[in-house]
Structure formats: C-alpha cells, structure tokens
C-alpha cells in the first residue's frame, strides 16, 4: 500500500502560506483544493473538523480572494487561507452547537469578535473544530459530533476543550487555529497533539459578544499554531480593544506591527541572564504520571544554551487554597451561565453530568463565598508577584497524565490518587488561569508509547511578548513539531 503523502501546500507554515499567496506563487483556489482534499483524507480517522461547508461555495470564495489579489487588494495576512473556528465561537451563517444537542441546529446571525477579526484578515471559514459540550472538560467528545481522536494514537484523547483545533493543526488540516481556555483548554490539547497553545494575558483578546461582560475574567480566547511565529501572527489578529468588551487591553504596539516578514525578527531577543523557576509537581502536591516530569526537565536542559538559567523552587503559595478558590469561581461562572438550561426540564435532560454538577454547585453560593474566593485569588496573585521579583518565568508541566483512552470521559486516578472532580486531573493549569498571566504550552517530547506531552511557560502579567520570545528561543533549540509528525501524514 502506497503511504499517504500530503500535498506540499498543507505542509507550509501559515507564514509561508501567506507569503506564497501574496506573491502569487500559489492561488487561493489551489490552496483551498489542497486543504479540502487533505481533510477528506485524514479527518475521518480523527474527527477534528466538523460542520464542514459546501465545497463549491468554498472554491467560489477562494476564487473571489484570487480576483481581489489580481486587483491589488488584500484583506490581510490571512487572505485566502482556510480557517475553522472552535465550535464554541459564534460563526455567522455556520452551525455553532457548543457541542450540545440543545444547540444542534443553532446558526448564529453574527460572529464572535475573534471570528470577525479573522474574516477581516482574509480567512475563509471552511467549518468548525470539535469541542466537548460547552467546553466542559479537557477531553473532546460530545453527542453531536462524537469524539476527536489523538493524531499520534487514535485510541487516545486529543485533549480539550480545543481538542479539535489542536488535532487539526497537528494533522496539517489548518495552517493556524483559534481556541479558548478556562481550565487549560488551549494548553492541554496543545500538549496532547505536539503543537503550541497560548493563553494570553487577561484582556489581551476581547471575548464576546456575550450577555454578561464584566464578571467572566477566567475564560479567554487565543491562538494555537505549529510554530511560535505563526502563533504570534494570529495573536496579533485576535488582540486589541473592542468597545463591546469593556475589559479588553489596549493593543500592544509590537504585536500591532507584526507581519509574516518581520515576525521572526520581533521574536528574536537576547535572553541572557533571564531566570526560570521550575515548579514541577508543586513539591509533591500534584500526582503525576511517570515520565512527565522527566520530559519537562529534559526540555529545560536546553535553556542554558540560549542564556536562561533554570532553578527548582518550592511552591510559592498553598496549592490546596488555590484549588478551593478555583472551585468557587468555576461553579459561579460556569454554573450561572447555564442556569436557564438547568431550570428548563426539557433542556436539563440533555445536559451532561459535568454541566449539571457545575450548575448545582453554584446554587448555594452566597455573595460572601465569592468575595472570600476572590480575596484568596488576590492573595495568590500577590504571592506570584513576589516570585516574579526573583524570576522572569515559571515552568510547570501542561498535564498530569499522558493522552488517555478516548472512550474514557476523564481520568479517575493519577499515580494511585483518586480524582474527586471531572477536572481535578488538570489541576496543574488552574493556578495560571486564576493569575491572568500569559502562558504558553510548548512541546517537550514523547513517552515510550509515543504519546506527546507539553510544558507551560508562564510570564509576568501582561508580558505576552516576553513569553513568546522565550518559547521561540526554545523552539529554535528543540523543534519537536517538525521532528515528529503524526503517523497519518508521515508518508
């Protein structure tokens, strides 16, 4: 049997693809045809891209992009490139189910802010990427589309909730991908699929439009990519203020000027003298599957090669207190957002147990509970600032288990320790969500079974560019993405 070899177009980086389209070395029609054929070849075994759009209409949109370039008109760096937003993001005219049977036939009349911005930058939406129901849980499965399978082992999970996005990236079905992150949903699937996932600083990427604009500070949207330069370019497209989201940050001037031509230089920085604090398993507090800590420590051995010192530290704050404040915030924000569905018997019957657990956990919360949890979160943030007085970055694993059985809803034990909630197994991401700091998950390699893992690099508040520069330096030293392709495309 002849091994499958992907079309060279789909193997280009997003930056290379943008430059090739704008130089008219390839047409948008050629790009669209190559991607659609590739998706038809590899997506059935993975189930990453869902709600696929009509092929003839997509080819017509690609022709329109070519016609615009022929007139000297380009919408932006994503002009004529295929894109599939996560199925939690509203897409005008394209089914948006949130992974829930309740919204199986929901077709929004407008876009989310990040979708709107990708369209404005020239992207052509070819469908959506799969997600768990309402994004709850770090494993991508739902009753609408089924489960997304890991690109490196289809019997395993691709992570979540941006599992479809990460798997599509790894299999070269998308040049870049968007995702969202409350409990590690940009980070965990990046680790499980051997790509990069970036949770931006709180407010860096406007979130919405949404019914409630001021309280949801923990969920955010951000970029995923196969390299840091592409990641930075998509972040630049997504970020910047929007009047509809009152807590959005002003645009970072460096991000604002990024182009495919200058992004490499913008990420190249002298990191001599910088220091990374390795927090590992929080002094033994977090159970870890064998092999995760050692892969991260092997990755950290590259850091002195580009001038960055690494030092192990003790936990800067009691981790169980962080977990307790997380539970209150999670119940409050997630539970109340779905309360109307719970109060309606017909829709309640269609909610998965994890959604019901979150909602019921919110019912008895008092205002004093939320204030106490916010005070505890503030104390953690202040402790973190003290750590950043000595160190420039913090490093921890991205996950506590390697990709697990795709038929399992979530890991019930880790290293013999019972998990008491559906997200306790992802506790390693929680502190950084609560901090609002920028975090990137970078690939660190594979275990003996060939399963990927990642490591989180956390930077100071609002210092997104510094985190990207550290990740870029590491990528130059160790490029796992290109060194180890998923078997389906390693022809």
């Amino acid at each position: 049997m002849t091994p499958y070899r992907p079309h060279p177009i789909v193997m280009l980086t997003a930056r290379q693809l943008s430059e090739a389209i704008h130089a008219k070395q390839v047409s948008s029609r050629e790009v669209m045809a190559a991607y659609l054929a590739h998706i038809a070849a590899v997506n059935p075994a993975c189930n990453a891209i869902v709600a696929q759009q009509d092929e003839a209409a997509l080819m017509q949109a690609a022709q329109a992009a070519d016609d615009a370039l022929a007139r000297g008109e380009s919408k932006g760096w994503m002009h004529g490139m295929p894109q599939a937003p996560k199925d939690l993001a509203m897409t005008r005219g394209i089914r948006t189910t949130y992974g829930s049977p309740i919204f199986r036939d929901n077709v929004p009349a407008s876009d989310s802010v990040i979708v709107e911005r990708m369209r404005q930058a020239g992207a052509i939406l070819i469908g959506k990427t799969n997600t768990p129901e309402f994004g709850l849980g770090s494993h991508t499965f739902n009753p609408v589309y089924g489960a997304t399978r890991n690109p490196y082992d289809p019997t395993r999970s691709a992570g979540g909730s941006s599992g479809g996005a990460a798997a599509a990236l790894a299999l070269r079905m998308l040049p870049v991908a968007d995702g969202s992150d409350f409990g590690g949903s940009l980070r965990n699937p990046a680790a499980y699929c051997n790509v990069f996932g970036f949770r931006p600083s709180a407010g860096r990427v406007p979130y919405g439009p949404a019914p409630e604009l001021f309280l949801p500070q923990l969920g955010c949207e951000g970029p995923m990519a196969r390299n840091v330069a592409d990641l930075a370019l998509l972040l630049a497209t997504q970020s910047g203020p929007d009047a509809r989201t009152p807590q959005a940050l002003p645009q970072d001037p460096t991000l604002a000027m990024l182009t495919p031509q200058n992004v490499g230089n913008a990420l190249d920085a002298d990191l001599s003298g910088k220091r990374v604090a390795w927090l590992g398993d929080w002094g033994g507090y977090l159970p870890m599957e064998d092999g995760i800590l050692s892969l991260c420590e092997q990755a950290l051995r590259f850091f002195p090669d580009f001038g960055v010192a690494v030092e192990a530290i003790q936990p800067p704050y009691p981790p169980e207190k962080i977990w307790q404040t997380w539970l209150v915030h999670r119940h409050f924000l997630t539970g109340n957002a779905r309360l109307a569905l719970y109060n309606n018997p017909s829709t309640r019957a269609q909610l998965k147990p994890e959604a019901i657990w979150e909602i019921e956990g919110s019912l008895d919360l008092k205002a004093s509970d939320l204030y106490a949890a916010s005070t505890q979160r503030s104390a953690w943030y202040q402790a973190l600032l003290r750590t950043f007085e000595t160190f420039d970055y913090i490093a921890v694993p991205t996950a506590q288990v390697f990709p697990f059985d795709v038929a399992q809803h979530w890991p019930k034990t880790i290293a013999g320790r019972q998990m008491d909630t559906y997200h306790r197994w992802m506790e390693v991401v929680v502190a950084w969500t609560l901090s609002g700091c920028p975090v990137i998950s970078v690939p660190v390699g594979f275990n003996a079974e060939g399963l990927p893992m990642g490591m989180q690099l956390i930077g100071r508040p609002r210092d997104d560019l510094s985190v990207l520069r550290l990740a870029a330096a590491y990528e130059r030293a160790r490029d796992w993405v290109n060194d180890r392709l998923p078997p389906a495309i390693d022809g």
Side-chain angles (χ1 to χ4, degrees), residues 328-351:
V328 174
H329 280 90
R330 180 78 172 185
H331 281 318
F332 172 70
L333 294 169
T334 303
N336 281 288
R338 308 296 171 206
L339 185 58
L341 301 177
Y342 179 84
N343 288 336
N344 182 330
S346 65
T347 52
R348 184 193 302 188
Q350 299 178 70
L351 294 172

Side-chain angles (χ1 to χ4, degrees), residues 6-76:
H7 194 289
I9 283 177
V10 305
M11 302 303 288
L12 296 174
T13 68
R15 178 172 52 165
Q16 290 169 338
L17 184 61
S18 176
E19 291 177 330
I21 290 173
H22 283 87
K24 299 178 184 175
Q25 295 166 350
V26 296
S27 68
S28 295
R29 280 185 61 85
E30 290 173 314
V31 170
M32 185 61 70
Y35 268 95
L36 293 178
H38 182 62
I39 290 167
V42 301
N43 192 57
C46 175
N47 192 36
I49 294 182
V50 296
Q52 293 185 49
Q53 298 301 288
D54 177 71
E55 184 171 330
L58 292 174
M59 293 302 295
Q60 191 173 20
Q63 181 64 60
D66 287 332
D67 293 344
L69 275 188
R71 297 190 300 269
E73 301 168 6
S74 169
K75 287 187 174 182

Side-chain angles (χ1 to χ4, degrees), residues 366-402:
K366 302 185 295 292
S368 57
D369 296 326
L370 187 61
Y371 186 81
S374 188
T375 301
Q376 194 71 257
R377 178 188 176 193
S378 300
W380 153 234
Y381 179 78
Q382 290 155 359
L384 186 58
L385 291 184
R386 290 191 291 273
T387 303
F388 281 129
E389 290 174 3
T390 304
F391 295 94
D392 302 283
Y393 309 95
I394 297 170
V396 294
T398 301
Q400 294 166 239
V401 293
F402 286 98

Side-chain angles (χ1 to χ4, degrees), residues 119-244:
R119 286 198 207 252
Q120 290 170 349
I124 300 172
L125 304 193
I126 63 171
K128 306 295 287 285
T129 54
N130 204 19
T131 185
E133 183 178 324
F134 300 122
L136 298 177
S138 228
H139 175 28
T140 299
F141 69 96
N142 62 64
V144 181
Y145 294 118
T148 296
R149 296 174 177 271
N150 193 289
Y152 288 88
D153 182 345
T155 69
R156 305 293 182 118
S157 169
S161 62
S162 308
L169 268 177
L171 286 164
R172 277 60 178 176
M173 291 190 282
L174 293 174
V176 286
D178 64 90
S180 56
D181 187 307
F182 192 136
S185 293
L186 280 158
R187 294 164 280 168
N188 167 255
Y192 275 19
C193 295
N194 193 42
V195 296
F196 293 88
F198 185 68
R199 179 188 167 93
S201 291
R204 178 69 64 203
V205 174
Y207 181 81
E212 208 298 304
L213 299 174
F214 292 94
L215 293 175
Q217 301 172 11
L218 299 183
C220 72
E221 292 171 307
M224 306 181 82
R226 292 188 297 271
N227 62 77
V228 181
D230 288 353
L231 189 94
L233 287 169
L234 184 55
L235 177 64
T237 299
Q238 296 172 333
S239 64
D242 185 289
R244 293 167 292 180

